[in-house]
Amino acid sequence: MAAESEIAKLVEEILAGVKTAGSNELDSWRHPERDIRDLARRDYAPSLRRRLKQTDLENVVRSAQVIFPDLNRAHDPMRVERWLNGPASSGLEGLFSDLTNRLDVHFQRSPFTGPEGLALRGFFVDRGAESLNRPLIYVNTAHHPVSVAATLFHEVGHLVAAEVFERREPSVHLFFDADYSSHLDDVEELCADIVLSLVAYPAPIARTIFATPWKFDLLAKTSELSDRVFAQVSEHFRARFGVSLAQANLSARRKLNYLAGMIHFAKLRSTLLAEYGV
Ligand SMILES: [Zn+2]
C-alpha cells in the first residue's frame, strides 16, 4: 500500500474507529480533572527510572537529534516560535512542510471534530502495520495551533521510539488529550512525549525554569510543581508560543485538557533535568 488515496482511506478508517478504540481515553478526556489530579500528585522520577536507563535516554536524544540537529541545544531548535507567531500562511503549514520534507513518512492532517473528535490529537502507525511501507503520521488540525504543533512533535517522537526501542508488534498509537498518566507506563508514549518536551523546553530554557539551585535536590525527589515554576511555565507559553490559557477563546473542557498537557510536559521536562541531567 502506498498510494495517497489509500493512505487517506486508512486514516478515515482509523478515525471512524476512534470512538470504540479509545473508550477509556474518551472518558479521561471528558473528565480532565482526574488526569490533572493524578499528574499533579504523581512523582515522575520513579516512573521514568523504571522505564528508562541513562543510556536509553541518551539514545533517545541522539536519535532525535538526527531529525532535529539543534534539539535541546538552541533556544528555539525547531523555529517553532517563528512558525507560530509568523504570518498565517507561514504558520503551521511551514512547520508541516519543513518536517515532512525531511522525513520518510506518510503525513496526513485534517480537522477532526464531531462529538468526540477533539479528544483525539493525532496518531502514529508503524511501518509494517496495516501493510504500510512507511510510517504514517496523522494530526488533528481542529486543535489550537500550538497543540497541533505539539501533536506533530509527539508523533515524530514515535519514529524515535521505533528506532531506539525494540520493536514490538507494529500498531496504531492513538494520542488522546488528558490521558497523559498512561503515557508514563508505556515506553513508546513516554519517548514520544520526551521528544516533544525537549522541543518545548530546550536545555538552556529548562535550566532557567526548573533548576534553581536551592530547589534542585528537592525537585529530584518530589512530585510538586511549585507555584513559582508553574508561573514561569505559563510565561514561557505566553512569551514564546503566544498562548495563555486564561485568555484563549476555548471551552472550559478544552482548557482543562490543555492544562493537563502543560502540567505533564513541565513535570516530565523537569524530571529529565533533575534525574538524568538532560
Ligand atoms: Zn503517542
Side-chain angles (χ1 to χ4, degrees):
M1 182 195 287
E4 284 305 304
S5 61
E6 287 184 62
I7 298 297
K9 217 172 98 199
L10 172 62
V11 167
E12 264 172 46
E13 279 169 24
I14 293 173
L15 292 178
V18 158
K19 212 176 154 180
T20 40
S23 55
N24 287 340
E25 292 84 353
L26 285 174
D27 202 45
S28 297
W29 172 73
R30 283 193 204 95
H31 304 283
E33 64 282 2
R34 281 205 310 241
D35 202 50
I36 290 172
R37 213 165 29 232
D38 187 37
L39 295 172
R41 269 198 216 126
R42 191 153 175 174
D43 190 347
Y44 275 43
S47 300
L48 263 68
R49 280 283 178 211
R50 204 171 306 134
R51 282 176 179 81
L52 291 169
K53 296 194 290 276
Q54 183 76 27
T55 49
D56 293 328
L57 188 66
E58 283 163 13
N59 288 336
V60 167
V61 175
R62 207 171 303 129
S63 173
Q65 282 172 338
V66 173
I67 302 171
F68 311 124
D70 289 332
L71 182 78
N72 208 35
R73 295 182 179 127
H75 266 81
D76 188 13
M78 290 309 301
R79 296 174 293 154
V80 175
E81 277 179 63
R82 209 183 67 190
W83 277 308
L84 293 174
N85 300 325
S89 57
S90 78
L92 276 175
E93 285 306 315
L95 181 61
F96 291 152
S97 56
D98 186 72
L99 252 180
T100 54
N101 284 344
R102 289 188 286 129
L103 299 174
D104 190 24
V105 297
H106 294 290
F107 176 65
Q108 296 269 311
R109 62 187 182 278
S110 62
F112 180 55
T113 51
E116 274 95 16
L118 280 168
L120 185 77
R121 294 279 295 269
F123 58 75
F124 175 84
V125 189
D126 273 337
R127 178 189 299 115
E130 313 285 341
S131 36
L132 284 174
N133 51 7
R134 289 192 278 161
L136 163 63
I137 286 175
Y138 166 84
V139 297
N140 181 359
T141 53
H143 282 276
H144 188 285
V146 173
S147 300
V148 175
T151 305
L152 180 58
F153 289 116
H154 170 94
E155 305 308 345
V156 173
H158 276 290
L159 284 175
V160 174
E163 178 104 349
V164 172
F165 298 104
E166 218 164 275
R167 266 170 182 281
R168 291 181 289 179
E169 280 298 290
S171 58
V172 180
H173 300 265
L174 298 165
F175 175 10
F176 287 97
D177 246 338
D179 186 40
Y180 293 105
S181 33
S182 73
H183 290 192
L184 292 166
D185 303 319
D186 177 323
V187 77
E188 289 172 69
E189 294 302 338
L190 187 57
C191 174
D193 281 352
I194 285 172
V195 171
L196 168 53
S197 80
L198 295 172
V199 174
Y201 302 97
I205 290 176
R207 276 187 229 110
T208 313
I209 296 181
F210 301 116
T212 29
W214 62 90
K215 267 269 179 186
F216 199 86
D217 283 347
L218 195 62
L219 193 62
K221 289 181 205 110
T222 181
S223 55
E224 286 273 316
L225 193 63
S226 72
D227 290 348
R228 185 196 63 83
V229 169
F230 189 74
Q232 290 199 43
V233 165
S234 304
E235 173 54 20
H236 174 62
F237 271 74
R238 192 199 60 75
R240 299 178 68 85
F241 308 127
V243 286
S244 156
L245 278 185
Q247 281 157 14
N249 185 22
L250 300 167
S251 71
R253 186 197 278 165
R254 236 199 305 179
K255 281 183 182 173
L256 285 175
N257 275 288
Y258 291 161
L259 176 65
M262 274 173 83
I263 296 171
H264 170 64
F265 288 102
K267 290 187 72 165
L268 179 59
R269 187 64 188 89
S270 74
T271 307
L272 295 179
L273 184 64
E275 283 288 308
Y276 299 86
V278 167

